[in-house]
């Protein structure tokens, strides 16, 4: 294997951890890209390149071509082609151009050749996990012949692991618990931007469910009841403000030119956001009460939205042991030298980081792949 890569094609950020196998000393690298993706034409790429003044970094100017189709990915898609995240689209279908862009950008950054072997681990929502074999076939074909920013690549997929979201956390937790894992009833709860999901392990046997009840559900409610707002700006204001909504973080959302009207707008938005939060937790808690059995021995909770609902989740699961992100936040902080101000990012990276450590172990001992069958249903 030349490149090890774990990837989470999230709706708010594409999160990745990678390692160049030949690097000494060994060090995992953090790599993130904006989540936007849009199909484009060769003519539109040619027009873009004809007006380009300098040469941006590969992750900020990512476009790929495979099977005679062109895609702009990440920051280029967002800023130049004005792409927007489509929450209704399937992540597994969008994962193929995102993987190609990530591999091309990493290869360009690291000076890899255009022909090498990739070991890939990828996270999907539980509701799309059944499509993993179709995704693997699509990846093998696309990786074998694609171009990144006009440079041709032919990549061999030497190892592919696909886990439902939360897989990196449960694999980490199961390693800590050892043989006890298969004697317990454990729920893995993931709360993300688009989806929430729960995967149950009842004495080692797995099952799961997912729903479109991520934080975007609440933001859409706020957007529908206010004037001229968009999800990204609302997300930024709510993220900065935290659970107690503070006016200073919402001032930039006011659209009126008059100061008194702007103040009224801010008050209105906060009032609507407060109500939407209560409605959101009511929906989420109802779903969790319906899908998480009361006889659970412990619950593993992850995903960026879990931090926003931390207090409510503590109360809801007060009757059982909670493992927050499989205790991986500090490991992430140390691995990538992140500051305490990046706490929210650390939490969001725990799943893909746990998956990377699992992938690394599997590549080091490929015959051990069969031993994880109980974690794959």
């Amino acid at each position: 294997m030349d490149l090890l890569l774990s990837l989470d094609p999230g709706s708010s950020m594409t999160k990745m951890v990678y390692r160049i196998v030949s690097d000494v000393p060994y060090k995992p690298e953090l790599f993130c890209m904006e989540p936007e993706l849009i199909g484009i034409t060769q003519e539109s790429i040619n027009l873009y390149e004809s007006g380009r003044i300098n040469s941006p970094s590969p992750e900020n100017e990512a476009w790929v071509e495979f099977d005679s189709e062109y895609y702009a990915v990440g920051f280029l898609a967002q800023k130049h082609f004005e792409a927007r995240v489509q929450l209704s689209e399937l992540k597994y279908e969008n994962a193929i151009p995102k993987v190609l862009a990530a591999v091309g950008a990493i290869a360009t950054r690291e000076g890899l050749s255009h022909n090498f072997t990739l070991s890939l681990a990828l996270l999907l929502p539980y509701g799309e996990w059944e499509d993993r074999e179709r995704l693997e076939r699509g990846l093998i074909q696309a990786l074998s012949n694609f171009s990144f920013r006009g440079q041709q690549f032919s990549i061999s997929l030497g190892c592919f692991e696909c886990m439902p979201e939360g897989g990196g956390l449960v694999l980490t937790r199961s390693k800590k618990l050892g043989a006890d894992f298969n004697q317990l009833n454990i729920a893995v709860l993931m709360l993300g931007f688009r989806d929430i999901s729960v995967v149950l392990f009842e004495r080692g046997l797995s099952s799961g469910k997912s729903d479109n009840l991520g934080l975007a559900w609440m933001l859409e409610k706020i957007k529908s009841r206010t004037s001229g707002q968009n999800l990204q700006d609302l997300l930024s204001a709510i993220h900065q403000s935290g659970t107690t909504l503070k006016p200073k973080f919402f001032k930039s959302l006011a659209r009126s030119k008059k100061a008194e009207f702007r103040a009224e707008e801010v008050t209105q938005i906060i009032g609507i956001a407060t109500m939407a939060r209560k409605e959101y937790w009511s929906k989420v808690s109802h779903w969790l009460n319906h899908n998480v059995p009361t006889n659970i021995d412990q619950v593993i909770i992850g995903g960026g939205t879990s931090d926003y609902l931390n207090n409510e989740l503590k109360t809801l699961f007060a009757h059982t042991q909670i493992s927050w992100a499989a205790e991986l936040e500090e490991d992430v902080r140390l691995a990538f030298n992140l500051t305490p101000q990046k706490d929210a990012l650390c939490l969001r990276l725990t799943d893909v980081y746990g998956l990377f450590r699992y992938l690394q172990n599997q590549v080091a001992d490929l015959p051990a792949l069969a031993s994880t069958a109980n974690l794959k249903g």
Side-chain angles (χ1 to χ4, degrees):
M1 302 298 169
D2 300 300
L3 173 65
L4 306 185
L5 172 66
S6 65
L7 186 146
D8 179 359
S11 298
S12 60
M13 180 190 294
T14 300
K15 301 173 284 289
M16 295 163 276
V17 179
Y18 73 89
R19 173 194 169 190
I20 307 301
V21 176
S22 60
D23 280 357
V24 179
Y26 152 72
K27 185 180 184 299
E29 299 290 342
L30 173 63
F31 192 46
C32 298
M33 293 177 67
E34 283 75 14
E36 284 80 9
L37 170 73
I38 189 170
I40 53 176
T41 64
Q42 184 176 9
E43 290 74 18
S44 62
I45 278 293
N46 293 340
L47 182 62
Y48 161 75
E49 291 192 315
S50 69
R52 186 177 62 180
I53 297 174
N54 63 335
S55 182
S57 59
E59 63 269 27
N60 292 330
E61 192 191 51
W63 63 269
V64 297
E65 182 272 324
F66 69 99
D67 198 23
S68 300
E69 295 182 342
Y70 291 78
Y71 295 87
V73 185
F75 191 69
L76 178 66
Q78 179 194 94
K79 290 299 180 182
H80 184 79
F81 293 101
E82 299 181 345
R84 295 292 177 264
V85 175
Q86 302 298 321
L87 298 176
S88 61
E89 293 183 351
L90 294 171
K91 283 187 178 180
Y92 91 87
E93 288 186 337
N94 290 342
I96 294 177
K98 287 188 175 186
V99 168
L100 299 183
V103 171
I106 292 169
T108 303
R109 281 164 51 110
E110 299 289 348
L112 298 179
S113 72
H114 294 169
N115 305 87
F116 58 86
T117 302
L118 169 70
S119 181
L120 175 67
L122 193 141
L123 294 163
L124 284 180
Y126 188 85
E128 297 182 35
W129 189 48
E130 291 300 326
D131 299 310
R132 60 193 179 276
E133 291 183 1
R134 188 179 301 116
L135 171 59
E136 182 177 9
R137 292 196 302 269
L139 283 168
I140 290 172
Q141 180 178 347
L143 283 163
S144 68
N145 183 21
F146 75 98
S147 69
F148 175 78
R149 303 204 303 183
Q151 296 293 314
Q152 202 67 28
F153 283 85
S154 180
I155 309 300
S156 299
L157 188 59
C159 175
F160 178 70
E161 287 292 309
C162 186
M163 294 287 177
E165 291 174 352
L169 302 184
V170 72
L171 288 164
T172 299
R173 189 66 179 160
S174 67
K175 187 175 181 180
K176 290 180 180 178
L177 292 173
D180 290 341
F181 181 87
N182 287 336
Q183 305 304 317
L184 299 171
N185 293 333
I186 296 174
V188 185
L189 172 61
M190 296 297 292
L191 297 99
F193 182 72
R194 190 188 79 168
D195 308 290
I196 64 172
S197 64
V198 62
V199 181
L200 302 175
F201 294 87
E202 297 175 283
R203 286 187 282 175
L205 301 181
S206 64
S207 61
K209 291 184 179 179
S210 61
D211 207 334
N212 295 331
L213 275 176
L215 190 63
W217 186 96
M218 186 185 87
L219 299 180
E220 288 283 5
K221 287 292 182 183
I222 301 171
K223 179 184 174 183
S224 69
R225 298 168 183 172
T226 54
S227 175
Q229 300 300 323
N230 64 69
L231 295 191
Q232 196 58 46
D233 290 341
L234 287 169
L235 175 62
S236 177
I238 287 172
H239 171 71
Q240 292 180 70
S241 187
T243 55
T244 303
L245 303 182
K246 305 173 185 67
K248 66 178 181 179
F249 295 113
F250 289 81
K251 287 182 179 180
S252 62
L253 302 183
R255 302 174 69 241
S256 176
K257 295 180 180 180
K258 294 186 177 182
E260 64 270 25
F261 291 165
R262 290 176 61 84
E264 287 180 14
E265 277 189 81
V266 170
T267 301
Q268 179 193 32
I269 294 170
I270 289 177
I272 290 170
T274 301
M275 185 181 301
R277 178 190 168 90
K278 291 178 181 178
E279 292 178 4
Y280 178 52
W281 174 244
S282 178
K283 291 280 291 186
V284 170
S285 59
H286 176 78
W287 191 88
L288 293 174
N289 283 325
H290 182 72
N291 290 291
V292 181
T294 56
N295 66 337
I296 286 296
D297 296 303
Q298 59 180 266
V299 58
I300 304 167
I301 302 178
T305 303
S306 66
D307 186 53
Y308 185 63
L309 298 175
N310 184 282
N311 292 332
E312 289 90 341
L313 291 166
K314 282 181 180 177
T315 300
L316 184 66
F317 293 108
H319 63 282
T320 192
Q321 179 184 354
I322 299 177
S323 170
W324 293 101
E327 292 75 47
L328 275 173
E329 285 185 79
E330 186 63 19
D331 289 11
V332 168
R333 181 180 289 106
L334 294 174
F336 305 116
N337 195 29
L338 299 175
T339 65
Q341 288 75 27
K342 298 288 187 180
D343 281 352
L345 180 60
C346 290
L347 174 62
R348 294 165 68 191
L349 292 170
T350 51
D351 199 16
V352 73
Y353 180 68
L355 185 63
F356 174 80
R357 298 207 305 195
Y358 165 78
L359 174 67
Q360 184 173 250
N361 290 336
Q362 297 307 98
V363 170
D365 186 16
L366 286 174
L369 285 170
S371 69
T372 62
N374 64 316
L375 294 182
K376 299 184 179 183

